[in-house]
Amino acid sequence: KPPVSLELLQALGLAYQNVRSPEPALEVYQQILADAQQRQDINSQEETLKTMGQLQLNWFEYTKAAATYEQLLTLAQGQGDYLQQLAYIYDKEKQPENSLKAKQKLAESYLNKQDFENLPVLKLAIASDYEALGKPDDASQNYQEAYSLALSIQQYAYASEALQKMAALY
């Protein structure tokens, strides 16, 4: 019966999670999220959305998980972890256009942080998305970028993969 305390809702959500009952757990977490939004508690909203997204991913509900991670991305102002999850979800959903957008934002994030270690593999994935969309020129450009980056930071396996994919593309 309303009103139910936040602590009880959190315990209930965790209990549903532990007994592998995702639908009731998501309903409880939705109530927790509504409470956090009403209180304008950003940290609580973020934690609740992360829990919901992970729960949805665990049960292969990629469409719902994508919507949850989109909310998280908006809330967290483009954090890389959420972009990675979103790209993964869109890959699983076979939505190369949406996956490409997330990966491009992630690449910008890596460039801004000067995190060049993860960039070659991401450029390979971006090129594959362009191939899936039927844009061979853009795919070729990204394969070339992946090759150059991988070679410059001595990631020879990725450089080789980029060359092989570029050859197959041509």
Side-chain angles (χ1 to χ4, degrees):
K1 294 181 181 178
V4 178
S5 73
L6 184 59
E7 293 78 24
L8 181 60
L9 283 174
Q10 290 170 335
L12 194 56
L14 188 58
Y16 280 130
Q17 248 183 301
N18 289 338
V19 297
R20 308 264 189 248
S21 189
E23 292 301 319
L26 286 170
E27 288 175 23
V28 169
Y29 284 120
Q30 193 62 46
Q31 291 176 20
I32 294 170
L33 180 62
D35 179 67
Q37 288 170 335
Q38 184 181 18
R39 292 182 290 118
Q40 297 180 347
D41 183 354
I42 301 296
N43 291 334
S44 182
Q45 289 178 51
E46 187 174 352
E47 286 302 313
T48 304
L49 284 169
K50 278 197 290 192
T51 302
M52 290 172 67
Q54 193 58 52
L55 189 59
Q56 291 160 336
L57 280 176
N58 290 345
W59 288 91
F60 307 107
E61 294 180 8
Y62 295 116
T63 305
K64 291 178 182 178
T68 301
Y69 277 97
E70 287 283 354
Q71 280 183 284
L72 255 174
L73 200 57
T74 303
L75 188 66
Q77 301 298 324
Q79 289 187 358
D81 294 342
Y82 304 138
L83 285 169
Q84 284 178 324
Q85 284 287 40
L86 207 50
Y88 170 78
I89 291 166
Y90 286 134
D91 279 343
K92 290 294 183 186
E93 281 286 295
K94 305 228 183 300
Q95 296 180 12
E97 198 168 302
N98 291 330
S99 177
L100 182 62
K101 290 176 188 174
K103 289 173 186 170
Q104 286 173 329
K105 287 178 185 176
L106 188 57
E108 285 176 28
S109 171
Y110 286 160
L111 284 173
N112 290 338
K113 290 190 257 180
Q114 296 187 350
D115 178 8
F116 301 116
E117 294 293 315
N118 297 314
L119 213 45
V121 71
L122 184 59
K123 285 291 187 177
L124 286 170
I126 289 171
S128 294
D129 285 344
Y130 274 124
E131 268 192 90
L133 291 170
K135 297 181 177 180
D137 293 336
D138 293 327
S140 174
Q141 178 185 351
N142 279 281
Y143 284 135
Q144 290 172 18
E145 289 175 14
Y147 171 76
S148 298
L149 282 165
L151 202 59
S152 70
I153 57 175
Q154 300 178 351
Q155 291 182 347
Y156 300 118
Y158 291 132
S160 173
E161 184 179 345
L163 283 177
Q164 290 172 355
K165 291 196 177 215
M166 206 174 345
L169 181 66
Y170 285 130

